[in-house]
Amino acid sequence: MDRLRQLRLAKDVMDREWSDPELDLAVVAAHAGYSRYHFLRAFKEAYGETPGQYLTHRRIERAQDLLRTADLTVTEICHLVGFSSLGTFCTRFKEWTGLTPTEYRKKHVGRGAALIPGCYAMLWAGGFRTAPGRPDQGAQRRNSREAG
C-alpha cells in the first residue's frame, strides 16, 4: 500500500471518530500501519500539520457549528466534540477563531436557522456521555442508538 493511501486511512479515522476523547496518536498511527513517531513525521510532511493539530481543527469546526446552531452550554459542546478539558477547549478555540466560544456564539447566533434544542443535538451527537462505571451507561447508549 502506498504511503499517501495509508495516511488517508488514518485521516479518515480522525474524520469519523473526531468526537472520541480516547482517539490519540497511537490509535490513529496503527490505522496507517506506522509507529507513532514515523506517522507524526509522515502526516506533517503530507498535510502540513501534525495529526493532533488536524484533529483539533476538526473538533473546533464541529464546535463552531454547534455554537451557531444548538442550544447547548459551552461545557456540553466541549465534551461533545471530544475535549476532556474545558480550559483546553476554550484556549484552542480562541487560538483557532480569535474568539472565545461565548464570544463566537454571541457574534454568530441567529445567522441562519433557529437553534436546535440541546436534547436533540446531544442525541444526534451520540447520546449523553456518563462517567465510566455508572450503572445507567449501557441503557443510555442503547437509547441513543434506537432513536438514531
Side-chain angles (χ1 to χ4, degrees):
M1 185 181 309
D2 68 13
R3 189 180 122 200
L4 194 53
R5 184 169 181 215
Q6 288 175 292
L7 293 174
R8 281 189 201 131
L9 289 173
K11 192 174 177 197
D12 287 344
V13 168
M14 288 188 279
D15 287 337
R16 273 192 320 272
E17 305 294 328
W18 55 267
S19 67
D20 183 358
E22 300 297 316
L23 188 64
D24 65 5
L25 183 61
V27 170
V28 177
H31 281 278
Y34 282 93
S35 72
R36 292 172 33 180
Y37 301 107
H38 186 75
F39 174 70
L40 181 69
R41 286 189 302 273
F43 191 95
K44 184 167 183 169
E45 183 180 311
Y47 295 109
E49 61 186 348
T50 67
Q53 291 167 331
Y54 178 80
L55 185 57
T56 296
H57 294 162
R58 297 292 74 77
R59 289 174 172 169
I60 296 299
E61 287 170 355
R62 286 357 181 255
Q64 287 175 298
D65 289 339
L66 289 170
L67 286 165
R68 282 191 307 266
T69 61
D71 184 21
L72 295 169
T73 67
V74 172
T75 302
E76 289 169 327
I77 291 172
C78 162
H79 294 290
L80 278 175
V81 299
F83 284 91
S84 53
S85 163
L86 181 61
T88 301
F89 169 68
C90 291
T91 300
R92 298 291 179 263
F93 192 94
K94 186 166 185 173
E95 287 172 356
W96 182 248
T97 66
L99 301 168
T100 66
T102 303
E103 293 168 340
Y104 184 88
R105 173 175 272 159
K106 286 179 185 174
K107 183 176 180 178
H108 294 284
V109 77
R111 294 182 177 187
L115 288 178
I116 300 167
C119 57
Y120 288 112
M122 295 284 276
L123 188 63
W124 168 80
F128 297 88
R129 289 200 176 110
T130 58
R134 291 217 15 216
D136 58 346
Q137 188 174 6
Q140 287 180 342
R141 284 193 180 139
R142 278 192 307 277
N143 288 343
S144 65
R145 276 194 228 117
E146 290 168 3

